[in-house]
Amino acid sequence: MRRALELAREGWGQTAPNPMVGAVVVRDGRIVSEGFHARFGADHAEAVALRRAGEAARGATLYVTLEPCRHYGKVPPCTDVILESGVARVVYAAPDPTGVAGGGSAILKASLLEVESGVLEREARELNAPFYHAAVSELPWTTLKLAVSADMAIATEQGSTTWLTGEPSRAEVHRMRANSDAVAVGVGTILADDPRLTVREAPKPRKPPARVVFDRSLRTPLQAKVVLTARETPTIVIANAAADPAKADVLREAGVHVLNATDLHDAFRRLRSAGVQSLLVEGGATIASEVVKEGLVHRLALFQAPITLGPSALRAFGSSTAGFVERMDLMRVVERREIGPDVLTVYALVES
């Protein structure tokens, strides 16, 4: 199953809104074939692995990271493919939470196949957290990404644009963008940095993530890169109802989707309604504090550089989230690894 999970990750940035899935066929204690869901609309992992196995699948065990589907979509049901293959046993990590596709294991059991579930389920759910979250929530699965110093600051002062982390960390952020439906920042970041918020240092995703700017009073300049390229890459600016409608019209004429929201929760609901299952919030300090304070963050990805910025530096979390940094010691660490000179730590703010 660990190998199947490794294979599933090969679909990174290509399968949404479908989950990433990997499959392994084992016979007489050895792997005879492997497969993964490579792209939305392409064959599912089980079909790929079983086709490659051929006659070797008869009497074998199929390991798959997601319960095999039972419905006709862009491809035939995986349950049909499995039954035709002659495998004797199916082991899957996590159930399919959707009403239309879930329940495939019951069909396999009814056909007298041996079925086992729950093997590395937590890891499988974590891999496809946005997919699972979408089945039960009207909000996006949200990851807050921050680059911080060793003393938890994000800049020497308000408005500064100093790079804290190294090139390997920045490349990893682009990889994270590639597997997100949207990338969001506050308007302060647009004014200070004028970022493009596109995927450049990672394999090209099937669909470029939308750019989202939280901008209550529509301060986003018409010459901002996200506005100038809005007809190439979807760009959403979220304002409040009191924002100047004339400014909204000008942005719309430039190709920007302007949404009015009453508060952050309403903004997130509107993003989810627009098809955003996975949201990567990249800061800065104001929006980071607000989304944490409002309980909208599920995972916190901290890229920590081996430098200190001192007591006068701009903190990652402001007064509205007092005590948050101290509470991080009590949070579950989903992942921790070195990336060049930096350390990436992913915290679970909400358990999936």
Side-chain angles (χ1 to χ4, degrees):
M1 190 62 78
R2 292 195 186 281
R3 176 57 182 159
L5 285 166
E6 290 176 1
L7 290 165
R9 292 184 180 91
E10 294 294 321
W12 188 270
Q14 306 300 322
T15 67
N18 285 355
M20 293 173 281
V21 182
V24 174
V25 179
V26 175
R27 183 172 181 176
D28 299 327
R30 67 181 185 88
I31 293 176
V32 296
S33 71
E34 301 177 335
F36 63 92
H37 184 39
R39 191 175 180 85
F40 178 75
D43 285 343
H44 290 183
E46 302 96 313
V48 175
L50 291 170
R51 183 174 63 246
R52 290 174 176 171
E55 285 299 309
R58 297 200 171 275
T61 296
L62 171 69
Y63 292 86
V64 62
T65 57
L66 180 71
E67 179 185 19
C69 70
R70 61 173 176 84
H71 81 302
Y72 281 90
K74 293 184 178 297
V75 296
C78 289
T79 50
D80 287 1
V81 176
I82 291 169
L83 293 173
E84 291 168 2
S85 73
V87 299
R89 180 170 174 251
V90 175
V91 180
Y92 67 90
D96 190 315
T98 62
V100 66
S105 60
I107 293 175
L108 299 177
K109 290 177 182 177
S111 298
L112 303 182
L113 265 70
E114 183 182 349
V115 178
E116 182 180 350
S117 64
V119 177
L120 298 183
E121 180 175 353
R122 188 179 209 178
E123 291 87 340
R125 285 180 175 272
E126 188 69 35
L127 178 64
N128 287 304
F131 170 72
Y132 282 95
H133 185 69
V136 297
S137 177
E138 62 179 0
L139 302 176
W141 177 266
T142 300
T143 298
L144 172 61
K145 185 280 302 181
L146 290 174
V148 299
S149 63
D151 52 348
M152 290 297 291
I154 63 172
T156 53
E157 59 185 10
Q158 185 74 42
S160 67
T161 58
T162 305
W163 285 110
L164 294 179
T165 53
E167 290 185 7
S169 289
R170 297 199 286 275
E172 177 64 15
V173 172
H174 280 259
R175 194 185 77 89
M176 293 170 66
R177 289 179 181 177
N179 201 49
S180 302
D181 293 328
V183 179
V185 296
V187 67
T189 297
I190 297 295
L191 295 173
D193 299 343
D194 192 19
R196 283 177 284 176
L197 300 178
T198 54
V199 177
R200 301 184 300 279
E201 299 177 33
K204 183 179 179 180
R206 184 180 69 88
K207 289 177 61 179
R211 287 90 59 91
V212 177
V213 182
F214 293 101
D215 182 5
R216 292 186 181 93
S217 55
L218 294 180
R219 294 188 292 147
T220 300
L222 290 178
Q223 294 305 308
K225 291 186 178 73
V226 292
V227 176
L228 293 175
T229 59
R231 299 193 187 280
E232 303 166 17
T233 303
T235 303
I236 302 169
V237 171
I238 300 180
N240 64 24
D244 186 347
K247 290 183 179 179
D249 288 341
V250 173
L251 286 170
R252 290 189 179 104
E253 289 173 5
V256 175
H257 300 276
V258 180
L259 298 178
N260 289 326
T262 56
D263 55 28
L264 267 179
H265 282 268
D266 185 38
F268 275 53
R269 280 191 293 269
R270 290 176 181 272
L271 288 173
R272 179 69 186 87
S273 296
V276 175
Q277 288 189 179
S278 56
L279 179 65
L280 178 65
V281 177
E282 294 198 14
T286 300
I287 191 64
S289 293
E290 289 188 7
V291 293
V292 167
K293 181 182 68 174
E294 295 297 325
L296 293 166
V297 178
H298 301 92
R299 295 292 179 266
L300 171 62
L302 280 186
F303 291 81
Q304 198 157 27
I307 60 174
T308 56
L309 297 183
S312 62
L314 179 62
R315 300 294 118 185
F317 301 99
S319 58
S320 64
T321 50
F324 176 76
V325 172
E326 290 74 18
R327 293 197 301 275
M328 285 170 55
D329 288 338
L330 304 177
M331 298 175 188
R332 179 171 67 89
V333 173
V334 177
E335 177 187 11
R336 179 174 282 138
R337 57 189 166 101
E338 294 181 357
I339 301 182
D342 310 317
V343 175
L344 167 62
T345 306
V346 180
Y347 295 92
L349 275 64
V350 175
E351 290 297 343
S352 57

